[in-house]
Amino acid sequence: MRETSPPSRWAAFAAAAPELAAATQARFAAHTHHTLATLRRDGSPRTSGIEVQFRYGELTMGMMPDSVKARDLLRDPRFALQANHGSGAGELAQGDVRVAGRAVEVVDADELARFRAEVGPPPGPFHLFRTEVTEVVLTTVEDEQYLVVEFWTPAAGVRRRRRT
């Protein structure tokens, strides 16, 4: 049965699981472009490219207005986000990271102005979403023989499984 505890803002997750949060942020920082999964109107999945930002204790996603991914999130905020793990075995050895949760549109003018000031002005209007995290998963290979899966949820905290 699926856990039903409320999602956490990124800062709360990072405080609860600092090592997993640092590893997750490092994987996202290693590349600019990642993969976002949203839900279409009919409930089927849609994947899109996305850039993410970690700012002010938040994991944020910016996107063009009226983009299909923005419309998907405005209609149904559930998402899954996978960090680009690169193309080489060495990069994949650093881990495969996935984050799931809910996207909340940032509409506060002061928050949007602060984001623009730090990141630089976008070429036009945009949507900014902050995330509320329900699950973080880091999969790595240990000693070239063990698959290690670390995962976090608000209800259970960090758990670790090691398989051959």
Side-chain angles (χ1 to χ4, degrees):
M1 182 188 261
R2 200 93 166 125
E3 297 173 30
T4 58
S5 63
S8 292
R9 305 248 322 235
W10 187 263
F13 157 65
E19 291 178 15
L20 183 55
T24 299
Q25 285 186 236
R27 290 311 303 144
F28 279 105
H31 297 279
T32 302
H33 301 100
H34 308 287
T35 303
L36 173 69
T38 58
L39 295 171
R40 298 172 192 258
R41 185 177 308 280
D42 67 3
S44 62
R46 179 192 322 269
T47 59
S48 305
I50 189 82
E51 295 179 27
V52 301
Q53 302 273 333
F54 290 90
R55 302 216 182 277
Y56 316 111
E58 301 282 5
L59 167 56
T60 62
M61 303 179 288
M63 53 199 77
M64 295 182 340
D66 207 34
S67 64
V68 291
K69 59 190 164 193
R71 285 184 288 167
D72 285 349
L73 291 173
L74 290 169
R75 186 182 54 259
D76 186 329
R78 293 175 293 171
F79 74 90
L81 179 64
Q82 183 162 15
N84 181 341
H85 51 70
S87 60
E91 288 198 65
L92 188 54
Q94 298 300 311
D96 178 52
V97 171
R98 294 176 308 276
V99 175
R102 296 174 356 109
V104 177
E105 186 175 22
V106 175
V107 295
D108 180 78
D110 292 338
E111 285 185 65
L112 291 169
R114 182 173 68 173
F115 183 83
R116 279 187 193 100
E118 187 168 319
V119 175
F126 69 103
H127 289 284
L128 180 64
F129 293 89
R130 67 171 171 78
T131 61
E132 294 180 342
V133 181
T134 57
E135 181 180 67
V136 176
V137 180
L138 170 63
T139 304
T140 56
V141 175
E142 186 177 282
D143 298 331
E144 297 182 17
Q145 64 179 342
Y146 299 103
L147 183 68
V148 178
V149 181
E150 290 181 80
F151 49 105
W152 174 90
T153 63
V158 177
R159 292 171 285 169
R160 186 175 199 262
R161 291 196 180 132
R162 188 174 181 227
R163 299 187 296 204
T164 55

